[in-house]
């Protein structure tokens, strides 16, 4: 996903959040991010809601085509919007370090879940 604005630098904070908050905390933060960006009437992130709320994430300088590209990148069901699951999957996919460490965090979450059932 090439940016139309080469001046924009993206700092990936997801691995830091994951290390500090663990798997459950990271998912909670991703859900909070989704809620900030979504259209509250539709319950999904649309182009308009992303454009309207993008400044909250420091994306105010992104061109419209960059925002549309972000939506297309994560829109698995082809409805032109991101639901919460699509958003979370996209955030993981856009974080190379997080993808590398995701097996460890998944194991941590699964171990915790298993402890709850024992």
């Amino acid at each position: 996903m090439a940016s139309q604005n080469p001046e924009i630098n993206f700092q990936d904070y997801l691995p830091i959040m994951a290390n500090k908050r663990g798997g459950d905390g990271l998912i909670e933060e991703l859900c909070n991010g989704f809620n900030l960006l979504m259209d509250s009437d539709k319950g999904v992130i649309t182009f308009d809601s992303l454009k309207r709320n993008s400044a909250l994430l420091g994306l105010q300088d992104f061109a419209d085509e960059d925002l549309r590209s972000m939506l297309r990148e994560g829109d698995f069901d082809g409805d032109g919007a991101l639901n919460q699951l699509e958003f979370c999957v996209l955030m993981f996919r856009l974080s190379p370090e997080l993808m590398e460490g995701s097996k460890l965090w998944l194991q941590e979450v699964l171990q915790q879940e298993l402890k709850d059932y024992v």
Side-chain angles (χ1 to χ4, degrees):
M1 178 169 61
S3 173
Q4 301 294 319
N5 185 347
E7 308 265 331
I8 296 173
N9 292 320
F10 175 72
Q11 177 67 42
D12 185 7
Y13 291 106
L14 290 182
I16 296 168
M17 275 193 273
N19 285 331
K20 288 186 176 194
R21 304 221 38 223
D24 289 341
L26 176 61
I27 296 300
E28 182 181 331
E29 288 301 320
L30 288 174
C31 291
N32 288 339
F34 174 81
N35 290 333
L36 283 173
L37 296 172
M38 78 170 185
D39 179 310
S40 58
D41 293 332
K42 296 179 181 177
V44 294
I45 298 173
T46 64
F47 170 76
D48 290 333
S49 71
L50 183 58
K51 185 172 177 76
R52 183 175 51 251
N53 298 315
S54 62
L56 297 171
L57 299 178
L59 305 177
Q60 66 273 4
D61 294 331
F62 273 37
D64 286 357
E65 185 53 35
D66 291 329
L67 298 176
R68 284 187 182 93
S69 181
M70 291 170 70
L71 286 172
R72 282 191 302 269
E73 182 79 20
D75 183 15
F76 296 121
D77 61 12
D79 66 355
L82 298 180
N83 63 37
Q84 191 172 44
L85 178 60
E86 289 171 326
F87 175 78
C88 290
V89 169
L90 178 62
M91 292 300 99
F92 268 81
R93 286 180 50 223
L94 293 176
S95 175
E97 186 179 335
L98 195 58
M99 285 297 290
E100 289 173 16
S102 64
K103 288 181 185 177
L104 296 174
W105 293 304
L106 178 60
Q107 288 174 348
E108 175 188 321
V109 170
L110 290 175
Q111 286 175 353
Q112 184 62 39
E113 290 294 318
L114 289 174
K115 286 180 186 178
D116 292 344
Y117 288 109
V118 176

